[in-house]
Amino acid sequence: MARRLFPGAWLRKPHYVQVRFSYMRMKYLFISWLVVFIGSWVMYVQYSTYTELCRGHDCRKIICDKYKTGVIDGSACSSLCAKETLYFGKCLSTKPNNQMYLGIWGNLQGVIKCQMEEAAQLDFGTDPEPRKEIVLFDKPTRGTTVEKFKEMVYGLFKAKLGEQGNLSELVNLLLSFADGNKDGRVSLPEAKSAWALLQLDEFLLMVILQDKEHTPKLMGFCGDLYVTERVEYTSLYGISLPWIIELVIPAGFRRSMDQWFTPSWPRKAKIAIGLLEFVEDIFHGPYGNFLMCDTSAKNLGYNDKYDLKMMDMRKVVPEMNLKEIIKDRQCESDLDCVYGTDCRTLCDQSKMRCTTEVIQPNLAKACQLLKDYLLRGAPSDIHEELEKQLYLCIALKVTASQMEMEHSLILNNLKTLLWKKISHTNDS
């Protein structure tokens, strides 16, 4: 009956279905196009970021051009530019002006570091000037004697490290390293390379700490490019994820997830002891005090024996050098008196200038980094005491009376507590 009364009803239904199908198809086509567009845009941004960060080809070209024209020389120059047995591998750079790559040098693996711009002075955030190749390797000049070069190096060390009684030994150590071909003398091109490298605080610290366990060994250099030993694990904790996943993971969840992917607790304790030993190495060492101005997990690594190795020491700076620069720094608040992420001084409101004394010592910053790392999974019999010592450590202040005594006491207490717990295990 309904069919006879409404003969057009059966015609309209297929038309409705057809319109609905067309709408759904357009909807899915639009969504697909949107996904492709967003994906392409993200890929373009990532590619642009990569090409800006990873400029190893440019670095190699600049260095090799200078080597081939006889301006610079060094123990890695021939392998990099003539024999081509030193290769750039995976890019590890986090900033365009500081190039870092995994490298292969014959049968050895290492890390290649190269400056694409002039070494940034401690100018608290201002962008470094573009690299000037002609100026970079202009010293020492032709006709400079070895004795004159020694005086130049001594003066540079004195400006960076202050008046130290054994600077002459450090000068001789540097000249020994600068003799790349080990012929018993430092040529002018080798001296130009060494002088350029000495403008980098990380290189200076690596020379000073070459006999220390937690500093990667220097393997060679060419100009201001240098090669260090490779470290198997390049972060204190965490897991490397594809960038597309990194984009969608909330920061808080990412930090929690990092703590899940860590070694067993005894191995974490051994790595932590290594960091405490490194703090000892740079605290009032034979060539003065150095300050850790970026104490983050990405700057620390460890080898297959779980010995700590410093991955990036570019923000470990001589205390004397930092004080000299910061004393004339204008400020309105304490926020203006920060270098890196962790070296903070106070703003003197009466003079509108930054004070020179860093508030927090290296040990307090190291303990802040280690707090969650060590307390997670810590044995119950030492958890309470470990937490107490870590919080005492974090509370350390440079301005406190008897700071050095408290510093030594807390550091020794922490090392003893951790070492006693792991000394009977295979991880020790």
Side-chain angles (χ1 to χ4, degrees), residues 28 140-141 189 198 201 253 270 295 298 305 331 395 416 423 428:
Y28 286 126
T141 56
L198 285 177
D201 288 325
F253 180 74
K270 185 178 181 183
T295 316
K298 70 181 186 302
K305 296 180 179 179
C331 63
T416 301
S423 59
S428 63

Side-chain angles (χ1 to χ4, degrees), residues 186-257:
V186 178
S187 66
L188 181 61
E190 288 173 335
K192 287 179 180 288
S193 292
W195 184 258
L197 287 168
L198 285 177
Q199 311 311 308
L200 311 175
D201 288 325
E202 180 179 49
F203 179 82
L204 172 59
L205 187 58
M206 292 185 80
V207 171
I208 291 174
L209 300 178
Q210 268 303 281
D211 61 339
K212 301 297 183 181
E213 179 183 1
H214 308 297
T215 306
K217 302 304 178 187
L218 282 165
M219 297 170 61
F221 69 98
C222 183
D224 63 347
L225 175 150
Y226 55 105
V227 187
T228 69
E229 69 170 310
R230 182 176 178 178
V231 179
E232 285 80 357
Y233 302 95
T234 56
S235 182
L236 187 62
Y237 51 71
I239 184 172
S240 178
L241 296 173
W243 60 266
I244 192 68
I245 298 178
E246 293 276 13
L247 288 175
V248 299
I249 296 180
F253 180 74
R254 183 68 168 102
R255 286 193 294 270
S256 299
M257 190 172 67

Side-chain angles (χ1 to χ4, degrees), residues 250-283:
F253 180 74
R254 183 68 168 102
R255 286 193 294 270
S256 299
M257 190 172 67
D258 281 341
Q259 294 290 347
W260 301 340
F261 294 93
T262 57
S264 63
W265 191 87
R267 289 171 173 172
K268 288 195 293 185
K270 185 178 181 183
I271 295 167
I273 290 172
L275 178 56
L276 296 175
E277 289 175 344
F278 178 76
V279 170
E280 279 186 297
D281 290 340
I282 64 173
F283 180 68

